[in-house]
Amino acid sequence: MSRPLAVLRPEPGNRITAAAIEGRGRTAIRLPLFETRPLAWAVPDPAGFDALILTSANALRWGGEGLNALRSLPVYAVGEATASAAQRAHFEVAAIGRSGAAALVEAAEARGVRRALHLVGRERTLEVGGIVAEVVPVYASEVLPVTQKDAAALQGCIALVQSARAGMRLAEVVPDRREVILAAVSEAAAVGAGSGWRAVAIAPRPETEALIDTAIALAD
């Protein structure tokens, strides 16, 4: 029997990912571990930067009207989902990274970027340094409670882990990891979850579609 796939990301991405899984004839467990919300933020002068680095579509979802002043900056985005969100928000996407934030920064520097603005969540991974001239949190990701019943439902599943923080949270709520298999979007996400899982596989690209493919391969 095929194992169910547990989707742990916040809404609205949770239901979108779960629907994609169900559309492929698989069972999805919908268990958001976090809830995102906007933060108040001051918009930096775009004249001080030559690029915008985005590692999550949530920065565009929650950035609000402040994004309007930054549309002159070319976007370097991690993953197709973030790039698509940037295009829908009328930004020009200069490059799409498929190996995580650090590799994207290296690619931007190789293309001549010298001062990049990074819009992030409050719980970020990149800090100021190198070409990253300023980091501005525009949203927060708050922990949601998980009941014992919900945690028990994860036994025997494939858990889709889309960030290091999600991996750490999953490890907190699952007391017995031996029957849970992880499909991680990146090596950092896998490391965040720690050890003791039945198996761990890392998607070949930091994108939801690649993660779903990896999870389905594990489920059979």
Side-chain angles (χ1 to χ4, degrees), residues 3 13 20 27-28 40 48 64 73 90 94 96 98 103 111-113 118 122 131-132 143-144 154 187 213 219:
R3 292 171 178 259
T27 299
L73 297 176
H90 306 294
I96 303 172
R98 293 178 170 84
R111 287 180 172 227
V113 173
H118 186 25
R122 187 179 58 194
I131 68 166
V132 180
V143 173
L144 289 174
L154 297 176
E187 184 176 355
D213 288 342

Side-chain angles (χ1 to χ4, degrees), residues 67-92:
L67 296 174
N68 295 335
L70 303 175
R71 288 201 174 92
S72 62
L73 297 176
V75 167
Y76 288 77
V78 172
E80 292 285 352
T82 305
S84 295
Q87 290 170 336
R88 290 194 299 272
H90 306 294
F91 284 90
E92 177 186 349

Side-chain angles (χ1 to χ4, degrees), residues 57 78 85 120 125 148 191 196:
V78 172
V120 297
T125 55
Q148 289 184 341
V191 171

Side-chain angles (χ1 to χ4, degrees), residues 100-172:
L104 179 67
V105 169
E106 291 180 3
E109 185 173 15
R111 287 180 172 227
V113 173
R114 294 296 175 262
R115 286 184 57 83
L117 171 63
H118 186 25
L119 300 185
V120 297
R122 187 179 58 194
E123 299 77 14
R124 58 187 179 268
T125 55
L126 286 180
E127 299 291 347
V128 171
I131 68 166
V132 180
E134 188 169 349
V135 176
V136 180
V138 300
Y139 71 94
S141 181
E142 308 286 4
V143 173
L144 289 174
V146 176
T147 67
Q148 289 184 341
K149 181 179 179 181
D150 287 337
L154 297 176
Q155 292 299 312
C157 80
I158 311 295
L160 279 66
V161 181
Q162 297 194 243
S163 69
R165 188 165 177 246
M168 289 186 283
R169 178 59 177 156
L170 180 65
E172 292 174 354

